[in-house]
Amino acid sequence: MLFEDLSLSKSIQRAVAEEGYTQPTPIQEQAIPIVLDGRDLVGCAQTGTGKTAAFAIPIIHQLHRIVGSSNKKKLIRALIVTPTRELAVQIGQNFDNYGKYTNLTQLTIFGGVSQVPQVDVLRKGIDILIATPGRLLDLHKQGFIDLDHLHTLVLDEADQMLDMGFVNDVKKIVKLTPSNRQTLLFSATMPIAIRELAEMFLTDPASVTVSPVSSTAEKVEQRIYFVDKTEKRNLLYHLIRNEKLSDVLVFSRTKHGADNVVRSLRKKGVPAEAIHGDKSQTARQRVLDAFKNKEVGVLVATDIAARGIDIDQLPFVINFDLPNIPETYVHRIGRTGRAGNGGIAISFCSRDEAPYWKDIQKLIKVDVTIIEDHPWPWHQGNPETETIAAPPKHSNRSGEKKNSRKSNNSKKNKKRWY
Ligand code: AMP
């Protein structure tokens, strides 16, 4: 299928062509006709599948038809609620790109910055509002936002909003919108809480899934190193230097941890920057730009900050710490292999993280290559704590072995891994 087969207005087709897109991605192919049809939609899709365009393009098409070149005061007709500032900025850029040959206007609002410029634009009137939940409710309470004329509400990254404790805010926001609105809900995973939310707020929704729930991107090659906790920084440096890695996104569980990793890399002469919630919006944008422009080869991020990072063809993701929530692993490795490009996701698992790795394996059900050949494997320790399934002895290249275990319960293939 081609974009021209989707009966989109010429101005959108032109903008999409300028982005270099020829074919819609699977989520776009399925979701765009449904949204154009005015139906509610639940979309289960990971980041990197092109889901932003899957809702932005049909929204622009519909509003362009309604608003046209009218000079009447603009009213908010589409609202996109998303968990983080970075995501909000990224979605705003998508609307800018695809809507550049229309007269539609839009605004992106988020907290942590002055509300004055945001309020100035709201006063003039906009067609599309992209917002994080807190700032949206705040400005609504102050009377600057009128959602009475809303056509379409998008709840983006719904599972992340839940994880971040925004569920009540989301419920409040939905109640501020007209009941005959169109509602689109997107989520990378579909836990029960999300299904309940969909049942509560969507009417007879169509459902679109582009990869099995919680599956990891197939194009991503995954590798794991079982490494002593205290040696993770050395291993990181060792990999970056020996394997000449650049454009590396490193995940740290904590902000403090992210800063420490950056410090240790810089000490060894590797230019690195951290991106996390303690940094101002301006500082985060500056760091992100430096990474995108390849001035900095290593970006160390916390999960929340990383949610909004959209970098095409990110080749390497490194899980410096394993996440304790398995779905977070899926989100993280979805940062590489975006829009069909291959990528490598490397994870470090220390002894105390072994239970996390077990949970991740249960969720992803994908063979992950275990790299044994490195200087800092686990030392002999307390055999009570961990049992990691051993790889069978068929190396696919020097020092690498595939863990072909199909079931976590299979005792046959288990071996203590230290
Ligand atoms: P998303 O899943 O919305 O974060 O999009 C991931 C990346 O895919 C972004 O960098 C988009 O610019 C890109 N993208 C979206 N749609 C297409 C398409 N049809 N063809 C090629 N790239 C696309």
Side-chain angles (χ1 to χ4, degrees):
M1 185 189 252
L2 297 172
F3 271 103
E4 49 209 62
D5 302 323
L6 287 167
S7 325
L8 296 164
S9 73
K10 287 268 177 292
S11 47
I12 297 172
Q13 287 194 34
R14 187 174 158 205
V16 165
E18 281 180 20
E19 286 302 301
Y21 306 168
T22 45
Q23 287 183 317
T25 64
I27 181 96
Q28 292 161 5
E29 196 172 316
Q30 294 176 66
I32 292 175
I34 295 168
V35 182
L36 289 176
D37 220 24
R39 277 194 75 181
D40 283 5
L41 173 78
V42 176
C44 183
Q46 294 169 226
T47 44
T49 53
K51 77 178 159 58
T52 316
F55 63 79
I57 288 174
I59 288 176
I60 295 169
H61 175 90
Q62 300 286 49
L63 296 189
H64 182 51
R65 276 182 38 213
I66 298 166
V67 178
S69 51
S70 145
N71 285 327
K72 281 197 210 142
K73 169 141 171 64
K74 292 194 172 273
L75 303 163
I76 299 171
R77 310 208 189 233
L79 170 65
I80 294 87
V81 186
T82 192
T84 65
R85 319 172 209 194
E86 284 82 5
L87 267 174
V89 170
Q90 187 187 311
I91 294 169
Q93 280 162 358
N94 273 251
F95 272 95
D96 258 349
N97 293 342
Y98 312 135
K100 65 179 164 195
Y101 297 116
T102 69
N103 288 327
L104 299 172
T105 55
Q106 54 140 320
L107 173 67
T108 303
I109 60 171
F110 42 78
V113 293
S114 161
Q115 71 170 47
V116 178
Q118 300 177 356
V119 169
D120 285 347
V121 181
L122 283 167
R123 283 208 173 99
K124 285 184 200 136
I126 44 151
D127 302 295
I128 301 159
L129 181 63
I130 299 123
T132 53
R135 179 55 62 100
L136 174 66
L137 285 172
D138 189 9
L139 293 186
H140 184 274
K141 202 166 158 197
Q142 296 178 53
F144 296 119
I145 292 175
D146 175 5
L147 297 174
D148 288 350
H149 305 273
L150 200 74
H151 287 221
T152 305
L153 169 67
V154 181
L155 302 174
D156 185 39
E157 303 274 351
D159 53 351
Q160 182 76 356
M161 290 211 268
L162 233 66
D163 287 352
M164 290 172 71
F166 287 141
V167 66
N168 285 331
D169 283 355
V170 170
K171 287 180 181 168
K172 278 188 211 157
I173 291 165
V174 179
K175 288 188 180 132
L176 299 174
T177 64
S179 55
N180 64 350
R181 65 175 187 270
Q182 178 184 35
T183 313
L184 315 176
L185 182 147
F186 289 88
S187 193
T189 56
M190 281 292 158
I192 289 171
I194 297 291
R195 274 176 257 153
E196 283 173 358
L197 204 67
E199 246 167 59
M200 215 182 303
F201 296 125
L202 278 69
T203 312
D204 186 26
S207 166
V208 169
T209 302
V210 287
S211 56
V213 177
S214 303
S215 81
T216 31
E218 278 174 16
K219 294 257 165 129
V220 180
E221 185 187 329
Q222 299 171 61
R223 300 178 188 168
I224 180 128
Y225 289 75
F226 295 103
V227 54
D228 257 354
K229 196 180 191 74
T230 50
E231 302 295 351
K232 282 186 175 185
R233 285 183 224 164
N234 284 331
L235 180 59
L236 180 64
Y237 173 68
H238 173 82
L239 288 179
I240 290 172
R241 200 198 49 196
N242 289 7
E243 311 257 332
K244 299 193 173 43
L245 306 187
S246 66
D247 300 336
V248 188
L249 178 60
V250 178
F251 282 95
S252 156
R253 206 159 38 223
T254 64
K255 301 170 200 171
H256 181 66
D259 287 335
N260 282 344
V261 171
V262 165
R263 257 196 302 276
S264 90
L265 286 176
R266 282 189 188 161
K267 251 192 216 160
K268 291 173 174 156
V270 178
E273 289 279 0
I275 186 163
H276 55 61
D278 278 357
K279 304 214 167 203
S280 69
Q281 179 62 16
T282 330
R284 289 203 234 180
Q285 202 56 53
R286 187 183 47 73
V287 165
L288 200 52
D289 289 345
F291 185 61
K292 281 188 179 180
N293 299 336
K294 304 193 186 296
E295 291 153 29
V296 170
V298 183
L299 185 64
V300 187
T302 55
D303 289 302
I304 290 174
R307 256 314 172 97
I309 297 173
D310 173 35
I311 300 157
D312 290 340
Q313 303 181 23
L314 192 60
F316 303 105
V317 162
I318 298 185
N319 292 308
F320 187 86
D321 299 311
L322 280 184
N324 53 353
I325 300 168
E327 278 84 1
T328 304
Y329 177 86
V330 180
H331 288 311
R332 287 181 179 185
I333 75 160
R335 297 278 119 202
T336 180
R338 293 168 78 77
N341 298 305
I344 296 176
I346 295 169
S347 300
F348 295 173
C349 177
S350 56
R351 197 175 276 282
D352 57 320
E353 291 171 320
Y356 300 161
W357 182 241
K358 272 191 187 173
D359 289 344
I360 291 165
Q361 285 191 299
K362 260 187 225 159
L363 178 77
I364 60 174
K365 298 185 183 73
V366 168
D367 291 347
V368 174
T369 304
I370 300 174
I371 312 288
E372 293 179 312
D373 187 13
H374 70 88
W376 302 282
W378 289 354
H379 294 312
Q380 287 282 344
N382 176 5
E384 297 305 320
T385 40
E386 318 83 11
T387 305
I388 295 285
K393 301 292 177 198
H394 56 83
S395 296
N396 55 353
R397 64 175 231 217
S398 159
E400 294 183 3
K401 290 179 180 171
K402 278 265 184 192
N403 179 0
S404 69
R405 182 174 50 106
K406 291 287 174 237
S407 152
N408 281 312
N409 299 322
S410 158
K411 285 197 173 140
K412 268 191 221 154
N413 288 329
K414 279 189 174 179
K415 158 180 130 177
R416 295 202 184 280
W417 189 250
Y418 47 81

